[in-house]
């Protein structure tokens, strides 16, 4: 009977095509039992900014499924003040994964295979600044340091896991209207109260969220006519405290339209509902149809709406793919016949969550080499277009990317991936400074990010 049940359950998963469960990391042993990664199906966040107490809090109601009995794994950098599993108070322990790659939170109470409800309360502390007018807050992310996706702010799952997310936000006691820049659908449901719903393919690195009191930003709105006939809303904005005048935003608009034209020609219609550009004057980070960037990185970051936040990495060891492709594009897609050296971009310890910096330099050269290898098939770009058509919004491993390339082109590349991206001894922190020299994705400290709020 148990066997029968398991068979039914597994075939049900296969029928649902559950990409989340098939990409979850394997369970690992802890002193308290087996830690198991879940499939979050829905997460509703109730977020409150209280102007009187100058405190912000978040409450998460998460529906999830586990396919093996064990201790459910999630993450939140802030210590939760309350956790409930199916209505009963539980605790969780922050602990290292088996090779010390990263830290996650593991529930102390075991859950049976099946569906559960996880409730978590956390204080909202990072990138929250109460001012005389209201509050500035953002959920900006990075893939270059540990635990810098949504988990830096809210209880969250991991990159492999796509979750239907919504925010229920109240600005308690706000005297000024708050402006919200986000890549979800915002509805005003009352005075100082909003709901935001995000597409169900979003994961912990997808959401762009930034709120400021009205009057503190300059913005321009535009509309780009996509090749598929849609009018894509474009919002470009900057902070008045950083930039005087809005003149510079027109330059961003011109640039973004050029890049839209280029990318739609190469990879098809813009895969998102909108484009939001925050002119931060530095750094650069990509979200689904949104970016915080400086002028020079607009093309790089918009490219990431196809590769990174379109064709998505499922883990740290596949995170280099999109940076290598983006850097190859930045270099104007050079082709080469040979490649010297190697890297360990694909072979960091199993639970690694961050991206290897070699992506920007050696990774880009590896793409040039693949372009040469696939020259008889028109090079690498037709395959990239194929991946956007076939694998958009379903997080993948580097092994799947290589296998797709071999299958689609008829030219075997798996040995090349092995030779050039699984070489040597890797450590998660290994780094070359090419990216920082180029100014793209420069590691920004929380202090720097606070200045951009
Ligand atoms: Zn990038």
């Amino acid at each position: 009977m148990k066997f029968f049940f398991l068979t039914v359950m597994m075939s049900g998963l296969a029928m649902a095509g559950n990409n989340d469960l098939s990409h979850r990391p394997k369970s690992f042993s802890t002193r308290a039992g087996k830690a198991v990664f879940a499939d979050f199906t829905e997460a509703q966040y109730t977020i409150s900014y209280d102007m009187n107490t100058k405190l912000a809090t978040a409450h998460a109601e998460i529906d999830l499924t586990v396919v093996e009995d064990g201790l459910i794994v999630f993450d939140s950098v802030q210590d939760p003040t309350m956790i409930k599993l199916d209505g009963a108070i539980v605790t969780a322990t922050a602990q290292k994964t088996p090779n010390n790659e990263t830290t996650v939170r593991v529930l102390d109470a075991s859950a049976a295979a099946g569906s559960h409800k996880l409730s978590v309360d956390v204080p909202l502390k990072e990138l929250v600044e109460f001012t005389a007018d209201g509050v500035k807050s953002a959920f900006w992310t990075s893939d270059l340091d540990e635990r810098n996706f949504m988990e830096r702010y809210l209880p969250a799952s991991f990159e492999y896991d796509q979750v239907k997310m919504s925010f229920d936000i109240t600005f308690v006691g706000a005297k000024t209207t708050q402006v919200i820049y986000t890549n979800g659908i915002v509805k005003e449901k009352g005075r100082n109260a909003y709901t935001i719903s995000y597409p169900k393919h979003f994961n912990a690195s997808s959401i762009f969220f930034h709120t400021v009191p009205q009057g503190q930003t300059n913005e321009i709105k535009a509309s780009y006519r996509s090749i598929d006939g849609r009018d894509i809303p474009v919002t470009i904005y900057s902070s008045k405290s950083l930039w005087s005048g809005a003149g510079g935003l027109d330059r961003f608009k011109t640039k973004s339209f050029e890049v839209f034209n280029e990318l739609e020609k190469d990879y098809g219609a813009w895969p998102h509902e909108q484009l939001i550009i925050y002119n931060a004057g530095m750094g650069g980070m990509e979200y689904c149809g949104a970016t915080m960037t400086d002028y020079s990185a607009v093309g790089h970051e918009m490219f990431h709406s196809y590769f990174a936040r379109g064709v998505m990495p499922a883990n740290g060891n596949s995170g280099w793919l999109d940076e290598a492709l983006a850097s190859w594009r930045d270099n104007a897609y050079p082709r080469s016949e040979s490649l010297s050296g190697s890297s360990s971009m694909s072979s960091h310890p199993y639970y690694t969550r961050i991206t290897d910096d070699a992506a920007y330099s050696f990774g880009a050269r590896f793409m040039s080499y693949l372009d040469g290898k696939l020259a008889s098939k028109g090079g690498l770009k037709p395959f990239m277009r194929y991946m956007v058509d076939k694998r958009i919004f379903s997080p993948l491993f580097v092994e799947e990317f290589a296998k797709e390339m071999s299958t689609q082109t008829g030219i075997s590349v798996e040995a090349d991936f092995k030779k050039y991206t699984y070489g040597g001894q890797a450590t998660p922190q290994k780094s070359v400074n090419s990216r920082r020299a180029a100014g793209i994705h420069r590691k920004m400290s929380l202090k720097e990010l606070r200045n951009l709020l």
Side-chain angles (χ1 to χ4, degrees):
M1 199 59 197
K2 193 177 177 189
F3 176 74
F4 171 75
F5 176 70
L6 194 69
T7 308
V8 170
M9 200 165 74
M10 296 307 265
S11 61
L13 290 177
M15 277 162 61
N18 200 319
N19 198 69
D20 293 352
L21 285 169
S22 64
H23 288 79
R24 77 191 191 282
K26 59 193 175 197
S27 52
F28 62 89
S29 298
T30 74
R31 269 185 221 150
K34 186 168 67 171
V36 299
F37 288 82
D39 173 17
F40 284 27
T41 48
E42 186 162 358
Q44 295 175 288
Y45 298 93
T46 305
I47 297 166
S48 168
Y49 298 94
D50 191 323
M51 309 303 163
N52 303 310
T53 61
K54 304 213 180 302
L55 290 174
T57 56
H59 170 79
E61 285 286 329
I62 298 160
D63 294 315
L64 60 82
T65 300
V66 282
V67 287
E68 50 188 325
D69 297 355
L71 311 171
I72 293 167
V73 178
F74 72 103
D75 204 13
S76 165
V77 172
Q78 294 294 329
D79 289 327
T81 51
M82 187 281 299
I83 307 174
K84 282 183 185 171
L85 180 64
D86 300 322
I89 295 277
V90 294
T91 55
T93 304
Q95 56 186 75
K96 292 279 190 186
T97 49
N99 312 301
N100 288 322
E101 300 95 329
T102 186
T103 301
V104 296
R105 290 191 189 265
V106 182
L107 292 190
D108 297 320
S110 187
S115 297
H116 297 278
K117 191 172 268 291
L118 179 67
S119 316
V120 185
D121 285 357
V122 292
L124 208 51
K125 288 184 174 171
E126 296 295 7
L127 301 186
V128 176
E129 183 189 333
F130 287 92
T131 67
D133 300 326
V135 64
K136 299 178 184 181
S137 174
F139 299 152
W140 292 325
T141 66
S142 166
D143 55 2
L144 304 171
D145 275 316
E146 272 300 295
R147 305 176 85 194
N148 277 355
F149 288 136
M150 244 177 92
E151 66 274 5
R152 179 148 77 180
Y153 313 96
L154 299 170
S157 192
F158 306 88
E159 273 199 298
Y160 67 88
D161 197 3
Q162 296 171 288
V163 189
K164 187 178 187 312
M165 292 181 275
S166 62
F167 291 171
D168 203 335
I169 302 184
T170 310
F171 300 98
V172 180
K175 293 181 181 68
T176 309
T177 300
Q178 289 281 141
V179 178
I180 298 172
Y181 296 101
T182 191
N183 52 356
I185 295 169
V186 182
K187 286 198 176 124
E188 190 171 358
K189 60 168 195 170
R191 192 171 141 70
N192 302 322
Y194 302 86
T195 56
I196 308 172
S197 51
Y198 296 97
K200 64 182 192 315
H201 59 255
F202 274 25
N203 67 10
S205 62
S206 302
I207 289 179
F208 180 89
F209 175 83
H210 184 197
T211 182
V212 291
Q214 196 168 52
Q216 304 207 348
T217 52
N218 286 310
E219 68 172 50
I220 57 171
K221 296 218 181 241
S223 177
Y224 175 78
R225 173 60 62 91
S226 168
I227 53 171
D228 69 3
R230 287 176 303 156
D231 288 314
I232 312 282
V234 178
T235 305
I236 303 167
Y237 74 104
S238 61
S239 167
K240 285 182 185 170
S241 64
L242 294 171
W243 308 93
S244 57
L249 297 181
D250 288 323
R251 203 162 66 108
F252 276 79
K253 181 189 156 189
T254 305
K255 181 74 187 171
S256 69
F257 276 46
E258 274 171 34
V259 178
F260 266 130
N261 288 337
E262 172 208 322
L263 295 176
E264 288 209 325
K265 185 165 141 287
D266 286 344
Y267 308 114
W270 183 249
H272 305 283
E273 297 295 315
Q274 78 295 301
L275 173 66
I276 300 168
I277 297 176
Y278 178 40
N279 170 20
M282 65 187 332
M285 187 61 199
E286 68 273 12
Y287 305 85
C288 289
T291 177
M292 168 206 266
T293 186
D294 74 343
Y295 180 77
S296 69
V298 167
H300 179 103
E301 302 303 340
M302 283 178 68
F303 176 91
H304 277 315
S305 268
Y306 288 83
F307 294 92
R309 304 297 171 250
V311 177
M312 300 166 153
N315 62 4
N317 278 334
S318 49
W320 67 269
L321 285 168
D322 55 75
E323 293 303 352
L325 290 170
S327 302
W328 182 52
R329 175 213 161 266
D330 295 347
N331 302 338
Y333 299 114
R335 176 173 290 181
S336 63
E337 306 304 323
S338 63
L339 181 63
S340 59
S342 182
S343 77
S344 46
M345 297 182 295
S346 301
S347 57
H348 291 285
Y350 182 77
Y351 295 96
T352 298
R353 287 156 79 178
I354 57 175
T355 296
D356 192 320
D357 278 3
Y360 300 86
S361 48
F362 186 78
R365 293 203 297 280
F366 180 59
M367 294 304 172
S368 293
Y369 167 76
L370 288 174
D371 187 50
K373 180 141 184 161
L374 302 177
S376 66
K377 307 288 177 182
L380 186 54
K381 281 171 80 179
F383 169 71
M384 290 162 66
R385 170 79 187 242
Y386 166 83
M387 287 301 279
V388 171
D389 289 342
K390 184 171 181 201
R391 289 298 296 259
I392 195 140
F393 305 143
S394 53
L396 50 69
F397 296 139
V398 61
E399 293 81 6
E400 294 171 278
F401 188 87
K403 186 159 183 277
E404 287 276 8
M405 197 183 292
S406 295
T407 307
Q408 197 264 338
T409 63
I411 295 173
S412 177
V413 296
E414 275 131 321
D416 298 291
F417 275 79
K418 198 96 207 145
K419 179 177 174 186
Y420 294 113
T421 76
Y422 291 80
Q425 288 291 311
T427 58
Q429 305 305 332
K430 184 180 158 193
S431 132
V432 293
N433 286 313
S434 55
R435 169 192 60 234
R436 269 157 252 167
I440 290 167
H441 289 320
R442 191 174 71 77
K443 255 183 207 186
M444 281 197 279
S445 65
L446 277 166
K447 186 162 175 272
E448 285 176 305
L449 289 174
R450 270 180 217 125
N451 291 333
L452 298 173
L453 271 176

